[in-house]
Structure formats: structure tokens, C-alpha cells
Amino acid sequence: DIMDAGMRRLLRASLGLCPRHAWAYAAVEVELWQAGAGSRGGHQPFDVTILYEDLLDHVATGLERKSSLLHRHPDDVLVPVGPCRICMEMVSPGQPGLRMGYANSNTEALTAEANTLIHTTTWCLETVGLWRDRVCPECDPAGSEGTGDPVLLCRFHLARRRPLPEPLRNAVASRLQEVRGWMRHLTASMTDFGGAARAAENTSWIEAVGFFAGWGLPLYLATDPEEA
Ligand SMILES: [Zn+2]
Ligand SMILES: [Zn+2]
């Protein structure tokens, strides 16, 4: 279990994993998990939704905090403390690219990895209509710099805009709680007890990982190679 109390604290501090490992972790779970309940009969990101429910709540609560002289500034919650756990476990300085996010990696490397991500690709393609308009405008190669809705910014692009005005902080917190609410239903739908997940719920984990890890991978997987 990744979510014992000590690990939960570490994962909160580091805001989860680095972009590459956050998406890799989600994808591996989607590809390999075959025993679940729910309409997909497995191939669902169960541990991922548990992890991101916690992280979304952590960040949303932090952003909603009132500014005060005694505490860190509320938007400091967007600044990770400590490294990605998986990077840390695999430290081998000879390997280039280990710390690169998908957003920065080259097309060849992405193609090689994406070829093995059959279920993740299917999931991204099935839901693209629902999340395409909710992509971080600055992760989005189709977006023009500085013009998108700042409420949709991923944590990296949001952190660059600190200090954030309070209305923006509150709006981002509400959005994150909304995504978290959908994800709770999705988590329940993967057990024997929950009802079937609806569209917004099915898309919620992509939005959650997109917020914490940037949108490089789903944008890549949902782009028709003919069009790219
Ligand atoms: Zn990492
Ligand atoms: Zn972004």
C-alpha cells in the first residue's frame, strides 16, 4: 500500500511524482490491473485515484487557507518539497532523460512508450471530448501564451504565476474539489459497491494527473499521428 501515513506525508510534500513517473504510474496501473470490478473489468487506475484524491484535497485545502503572517503563503502549497520517490529510488546519473517530463521528451521516446499503452490510449481517446477543453492552456500546444483560463492551469504553470490573487486561488481550489468529487465516484465504481462511472467521473483521473503532472501524455496519446 503506497498510502501509509509516512508515505502519504512524503507524497503530499513532493506533490506526488514527477511528470514522467506520475503518468507512467497511472499508465502501468491501467495496463496491468486486470482483476477489478466495474464495467471495464480491470484496466482502471484504482491506486491512482486513491493517491490523487488525497493530493487534490491537500492542494485545494492549502489554496483556500487565509494568508497570515504565521503561516506559509497559501500558494506555497504548489511548491513541492522533496523529490519524486521513483526518481529517488532509481538515481543513476548516467541515464539521460530520467527526470524529463513527457512534455519535454522527444517524439521517438514517446512513440516507443505509447505503443505499449493500449488501454491508456483507448481511455484517453474515449474521453478526449470531455477533457480537451479543460487542458492547462499553457501545456496545450494549440493554446496561445497567456490567453487561456488561468483556473485550468496545471500546478507547474500555476506556480509560475505566484503570488496568486485570492479569487484565482479559490477558483482553482473549487475546481480541484470538483475533480476530486468525480474521482471518488470513479473509485467507488471500481469496487463491487459503487454504481457505474459516468463520463465526467471517467475523465476525472486524467484531469487530476494532468493538474499534477502536466498534460503532455494525454495530449500525445489523443492526437492522431496523421494530423500531427
Ligand atoms: Zn520521477
Ligand atoms: Zn501546464
Side-chain angles (χ1 to χ4, degrees):
D1 181 7
I2 60 157
M3 290 306 278
D4 65 64
M7 187 53 75
R8 182 179 298 238
R9 210 162 35 238
L10 286 169
L11 284 166
R12 283 183 171 189
S14 65
L15 298 176
L17 304 168
C18 71
R20 182 184 184 85
H21 288 130
W23 283 113
Y25 175 60
V28 164
E29 209 180 36
V30 171
E31 299 303 319
L32 300 185
W33 194 61
Q34 308 207 17
S39 59
R40 286 171 196 258
H43 298 301
Q44 300 179 103
F46 189 75
D47 282 351
V48 169
T49 62
I50 304 284
L51 168 63
Y52 286 96
E53 274 180 48
D54 186 66
L55 290 177
L56 285 168
D57 188 48
H58 168 66
V59 172
T61 307
L63 287 175
E64 281 172 332
R65 197 161 286 149
K66 291 268 172 270
S67 307
S68 86
L69 291 174
L70 295 175
H71 295 100
R72 299 168 75 203
H73 193 273
D75 55 29
D76 284 351
V77 74
L78 296 168
V79 180
V81 179
C84 162
R85 307 301 302 165
I86 298 179
C87 284
M88 220 175 75
E89 283 160 18
M90 312 176 44
V91 173
S92 60
Q95 283 192 335
L98 198 61
R99 283 158 196 274
M100 280 197 317
Y102 276 102
N104 302 322
S105 49
N106 61 52
T107 307
E108 245 169 316
L110 278 169
T111 306
E113 292 190 37
N115 282 340
T116 64
L117 302 180
I118 297 162
H119 299 280
T120 311
T121 305
T122 304
W123 197 311
C124 285
L125 285 170
E126 280 177 6
T127 56
V128 63
L130 293 157
W131 55 258
R132 191 65 187 81
D133 290 342
R134 300 168 62 90
V135 170
C136 164
E138 294 186 19
C139 285
D140 187 350
S144 45
E145 194 112 355
T147 58
D149 182 354
V151 176
L152 296 175
L153 290 170
C154 72
R155 63 151 167 127
F156 298 101
H157 287 121
L158 209 51
R160 279 187 211 165
R161 299 218 183 168
R162 289 177 304 131
L164 304 177
E166 191 177 332
L168 177 58
R169 276 197 279 117
N170 289 334
V172 172
S174 314
R175 177 174 97 83
L176 298 182
Q177 290 291 9
E178 183 182 39
V179 172
R180 178 168 180 260
W182 291 329
M183 218 162 51
R184 291 172 73 90
H185 285 281
L186 177 61
T187 309
S189 80
M190 293 185 221
T191 68
D192 291 324
F193 311 107
R198 289 162 305 184
E201 296 156 7
N202 265 327
T203 312
S204 61
W205 71 271
I206 296 177
E207 281 197 66
V209 186
F211 175 78
F212 282 99
W215 285 85
L217 186 67
L219 284 172
Y220 179 82
L221 293 179
T223 303
D224 186 337
E226 305 286 303
E227 287 171 29

